């Protein structure tokens, strides 16, 4: 793939499509939305407004970290607090596809309001090829798929969508990130799904349960830093298991699964053979630091038959 040619074609496409109007894009800090942010700013400068929807489902300090990562290259990221809206939309929902639907609808409603308030007409987003393939195969409706499943974004939410990365797989997106001059930390960042920790929380998504999985994800990311893997994260199961508190009393506690996979493009994946001492350290920290957790498991399942995330 000719990266320079790709960048100049997409920059021209964005310029032509947006014309003299404005556009909005939602940055999550993942490589796809980071690349779209870079392309969009190169194409239309400050007429692209980059927002970070703080939906309460992100990793610890993610909104501030993402804004800080883009500041040095002159891109201002506006953080918008929409936590209450997401938690009320997700309240009581356990079915995975219902969760995805509630997430998607709230996400685009919020963005629709930002677009309207700013006078923009376009939303730039970082949909990539596997998002489309998996949604069309019926595996799951990825959060950023609209037109492909019959949702008209203009009628439903008041904006047109521009998707410059729609034909790419992740390895090429990373090359474009480097070609745009984004830092290696951004270009090589582990993928993080749009619906965030909601994809790693079985059962109801609420602030208390998200906090448990957020703390577990942080420990997994810290303890697996430097391990060659596509993604490493933690998942909170809906079920509980009996355990012992520090004072020896019985506790019917939470169960955390650690998932660590190797993959080229997320279409297939293999579990990483973590060393025993890494696994033991993960268990000791997760069960030791998160009081509500009584068990830690390691997921051995490749994709297929499993998917990478849990919903
Ligand atoms: P699955 O779970 O489908 O994940 O095997 C494949 C890759 O996609 C990410 N993923 C998502 N990314 N919106 C996204 O932006 C989503 O709704 C979504 N669901 C899964 C997942 O983290 C993995 O890298």
């Amino acid at each position: 793939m000719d990266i320079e040619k790709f960048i100049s074609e997409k920059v021209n496409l964005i310029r032509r499509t947006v014309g003299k109007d404005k556009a909005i894009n939602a940055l999550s800090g993942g490589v796809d939305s980071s690349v779209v942010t870079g392309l969009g700013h190169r194409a239309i400068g400050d007429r692209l407004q980059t927002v970070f929807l703080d939906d309460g489902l992100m990793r610890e300090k993610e909104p501030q970290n993402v804004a800080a990562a883009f500041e040095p290259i002159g891109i201002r990221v506006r953080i918008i607090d929409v936590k209450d809206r997401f938690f009320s939309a997700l309240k009581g929902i356990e079915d995975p596809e219902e969760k995805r639907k509630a997430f998607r609808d709230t996400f685009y409603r919020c963005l629709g309001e930002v677009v309207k308030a700013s006078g923009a007409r376009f939303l730039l987003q970082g949909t990539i090829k596997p998002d489309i393939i998996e949604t069309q195969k019926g595996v799951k409706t990825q959060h950023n798929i609209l037109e492909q499943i019959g949702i008209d974004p203009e009628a439903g939410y008041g904006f047109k969508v521009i998707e410059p990365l729609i034909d790419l797989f992740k390895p090429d997106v990373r090359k474009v990130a480097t070609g745009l001059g984004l830092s290696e930390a951004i270009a090589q960042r582990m993928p993080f799904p749009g619906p965030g920790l909601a994809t790693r929380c079985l059962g109801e998504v609420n602030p208390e349960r998200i906090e448990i999985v957020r703390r577990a994800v942080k420990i997994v990311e810290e303890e697996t830093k430097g391990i060659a893997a596509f993604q490493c994260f933690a998942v909170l199961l809906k079920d509980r298991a009996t355990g012992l508190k520090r004072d020896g009393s019985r506790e019917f506690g939470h169960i955390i699964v650690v998932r660590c996979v190797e993959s080229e493009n997320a279409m297939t994946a293999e579990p990483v053979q973590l060393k025993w001492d890494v696994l033991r350290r993960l268990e000791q920290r997760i069960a030791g630091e998160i009081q509500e957790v009584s068990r830690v498991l390691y997921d051995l399942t490749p994709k297929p038959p499993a998917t990478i995330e849990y919903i």
Side-chain angles (χ1 to χ4, degrees):
M1 179 183 171
D2 182 338
I3 300 297
E4 285 310 315
K5 187 162 165 245
F6 177 87
I7 292 175
S8 86
E9 276 174 12
K10 296 304 168 185
V11 163
N12 286 335
L13 169 88
I14 296 168
R15 270 190 201 139
R16 262 200 327 273
T17 315
V18 177
K20 290 191 165 52
D21 279 315
K22 290 188 215 154
I24 296 286
N25 84 300
L27 176 60
S28 70
V31 62
D32 308 340
S33 64
S34 296
V35 165
V36 163
T37 304
L39 283 173
H41 279 269
R42 192 175 280 197
I44 57 171
D46 287 346
R47 283 186 293 123
L48 176 68
Q49 195 186 108
T50 297
V51 299
F52 183 103
L53 291 185
D54 186 2
D55 54 17
L57 304 168
M58 292 290 158
R59 287 170 290 191
E60 198 179 287
K61 299 206 181 78
E62 188 79 357
Q64 296 74 19
N65 290 344
V66 170
F70 280 83
E71 206 190 337
I73 48 171
I75 296 177
R76 195 180 147 255
V77 181
R78 184 155 71 97
I79 299 170
I80 305 175
D81 184 346
V82 282
K83 295 187 199 78
D84 292 347
R85 292 181 60 175
F86 277 83
F87 283 121
S88 62
L90 289 162
K91 196 165 185 224
I93 302 178
E94 297 202 354
D95 178 81
E97 278 295 282
E98 288 300 316
K99 268 185 203 167
R100 284 182 168 274
K101 233 193 265 165
F103 178 90
R104 186 183 60 219
D105 193 46
T106 313
F107 184 77
Y108 287 109
R109 270 179 208 280
C110 290
L111 279 180
E113 288 164 23
V114 177
V115 171
K116 202 166 166 201
S118 68
R121 286 181 49 219
F122 297 92
L123 177 78
L124 236 73
Q125 68 174 7
T127 318
I128 62 171
K129 195 150 194 157
D131 300 339
I132 309 276
I133 296 173
E134 304 256 80
T135 300
Q136 285 173 341
K137 274 198 313 198
V139 178
K140 52 180 73 170
T141 43
Q142 303 270 27
H143 83 284
N144 47 6
I145 304 299
L146 295 170
E147 280 158 307
Q148 295 86 351
I149 53 170
I151 299 174
D152 176 352
E154 202 161 19
Y157 304 105
F159 50 75
K160 288 190 174 146
V161 172
I162 307 173
E163 295 173 313
L165 311 182
I166 203 97
D167 293 320
L168 300 192
F169 286 96
K170 196 71 88 184
D172 283 334
V173 182
R174 294 196 196 284
K175 287 181 201 150
V176 177
T178 306
L180 280 167
L182 298 177
S183 71
E184 276 307 280
I186 293 176
Q188 300 308 327
R189 208 164 180 215
M190 227 188 326
F192 185 70
L197 299 172
T199 64
R200 301 173 180 177
C201 179
L202 298 183
E204 189 188 43
V205 172
N206 60 38
E208 295 73 35
R209 295 174 56 83
I210 286 292
E211 188 50 30
I212 294 172
V213 74
R214 179 180 288 125
R215 292 179 65 194
V217 163
K218 181 164 184 254
I219 294 172
V220 174
E221 289 189 356
E222 285 170 1
E223 294 300 328
T224 56
K225 219 179 227 161
I227 288 175
F230 186 74
Q231 270 175 299
C232 292
F233 55 90
V235 179
L236 174 65
L237 296 189
K238 182 188 168 190
D239 222 342
R240 290 188 179 234
T242 301
L244 296 168
K245 283 193 189 152
R246 280 181 205 119
D247 65 3
S249 61
R250 178 183 188 280
E251 168 160 61
F252 201 43
H254 286 291
I255 308 172
I256 289 285
V257 173
V258 176
R259 180 120 171 100
C260 199
V261 294
E262 197 35 82
S263 177
E264 258 290 299
N265 54 25
M267 299 296 294
T268 60
E270 280 294 319
V272 174
Q273 278 196 42
L274 289 182
K275 293 217 169 72
W276 186 245
D277 61 331
V278 176
L279 287 167
R280 287 310 306 268
R281 174 118 184 104
L282 284 165
E283 173 277 311
Q284 279 156 6
R285 283 199 60 196
I286 294 169
E289 294 174 24
I290 311 173
Q291 263 209 2
E292 299 91 331
V293 174
S294 66
R295 262 166 223 242
V296 180
L297 316 178
Y298 188 59
D299 186 343
L300 297 177
T301 330
K303 173 180 182 176
T307 56
I308 295 176
E309 306 285 349
Y310 268 51
I311 73 159

